[in-house]
Amino acid sequence: MLSLRIKFNDGSLIEHKFAGDKTLYIGRLDDNDVVIKSPSVSGHHAKIDPVGDGFLLTDLKSTNGCFVNEQFVQTHWLKLGDVITMGDVTLIFSCEPETVSKLPSMLDNANETMMLSNEEYEDMRAKSFLSKALGGSEGDPMINPALSFIAGGVGEVRINKEHTRIGKDLASDVVIHGFLVGKTAASVEMKPDGYYLKYVGGFIKPKVNGKTVKKSAKIREFDIIKIGPAKLQVISEL
């Protein structure tokens, strides 16, 4: 089992254990998997996604941001012992002794943290506050969205037309290799109220955040799309 040891500003300490087989949402609101009742923590502050044999921490455009080992991050491949700071709350990423040998990618520095400079950080914060002032919500709306490979491929593809096709056909906008992947496995459709992932064909149906898409599902920033051996994260410009 994995765990997050959570230390509050008053010195109290709690531990949240989890299997690590699905996305873990962290925030102040009750619909999160890890609920942190601190006014300095956003309603939906961050999430941890299982990707391959590693775990990816993603900040969900929180007000106070995420820091790992005192460095500001947007995303970070977690290693055992990492100290995560959200507002005035500290979380330590760890696991039970018998789990250590099963998680080799989290024992070294092979995956580097993606960090922003102070200037980029201030610019991100300013844009985040502006979005909220204009009535935007966390994760919406997306600006110039793209699908970025985090497994099973490299690079990213902008969603800039009505239908963005995903499949093993080389003419697809996002090419995914795999015996059971359809020539056109899925598509991302632009609609007036947002972006939707639609299942098109093939033996393997796409998944969004671990949930199978039988017809279509609305996608939002930071969602994880899995089709066959590939995992893609929905990203947008800040």
Side-chain angles (χ1 to χ4, degrees), residues 1-228:
M1 293 290 285
L2 297 164
S3 75
L4 288 173
R5 287 182 286 157
I6 306 167
K7 184 177 181 179
F8 294 87
N9 196 37
D10 62 3
S12 59
L13 182 70
I14 62 173
E15 184 175 26
H16 179 88
K17 293 185 177 182
F18 60 104
D21 57 350
K22 62 180 182 179
T23 299
L24 188 78
Y25 288 91
I26 306 168
R28 192 181 67 254
L29 299 180
D30 292 336
D31 60 352
N32 290 283
D33 301 295
V34 180
V35 179
I36 301 177
K37 293 296 187 180
S38 168
S40 66
V41 175
S42 293
H44 299 100
H45 199 109
K47 67 173 183 171
I48 298 174
D49 288 298
V51 182
D53 60 356
F55 293 87
L56 184 67
L57 171 73
T58 302
D59 178 73
L60 299 177
K61 289 188 176 179
S62 61
T63 299
N64 291 315
C66 284
F67 294 78
V68 177
N69 304 327
E70 299 185 349
Q71 297 288 339
F72 174 77
V73 301
Q74 286 182 293
T75 62
H76 174 82
W77 289 99
L78 289 169
K79 298 184 294 295
L80 297 179
D82 275 349
V83 178
I84 307 164
T85 303
M86 300 179 186
D88 62 358
V89 178
T90 299
L91 305 91
I92 300 174
F93 182 66
S94 61
C95 71
E96 296 176 345
E98 60 269 23
T99 308
V100 172
S101 61
K102 301 177 183 179
L103 303 170
S105 69
M106 300 196 303
L107 300 176
D108 54 40
N109 296 318
N111 296 308
E112 295 297 329
T113 302
M114 291 183 286
M115 296 181 294
L116 298 182
S117 66
N118 288 336
E119 184 179 77
E120 290 172 322
Y121 169 70
E122 293 301 333
D123 183 60
M124 183 278 293
R125 290 287 299 275
K127 289 179 179 178
S128 176
F129 287 131
L130 177 61
S131 173
K132 292 176 182 178
L134 293 175
S137 60
E138 293 179 344
D140 269 330
M142 291 193 288
I143 301 172
N144 195 18
L147 298 176
S148 179
F149 276 101
I150 56 176
V154 294
E156 64 183 46
V157 175
R158 288 289 160 192
I159 305 171
N160 54 13
K161 56 184 181 179
E162 187 175 355
H163 296 277
T164 299
R165 295 187 300 145
I166 306 170
K168 66 181 178 183
D169 190 325
L170 295 180
S172 298
D173 300 293
V174 180
V175 178
I176 296 175
H177 301 287
F179 179 71
L180 298 177
V181 176
K183 288 187 175 181
T184 301
S187 68
V188 177
E189 300 182 352
M190 298 173 61
K191 295 185 178 182
D193 63 334
Y195 297 84
Y196 287 79
L197 180 73
K198 179 182 178 182
Y199 167 65
V200 177
F203 183 79
I204 296 177
K205 289 183 171 63
K207 293 183 178 181
V208 176
N209 299 329
K211 295 182 179 180
T212 300
V213 176
K214 296 181 180 179
K215 293 183 178 180
S216 68
K218 189 172 185 178
I219 57 175
R220 297 174 173 80
E221 189 170 11
F222 305 121
D223 280 351
I224 300 292
I225 298 171
K226 185 179 188 305
I227 302 176

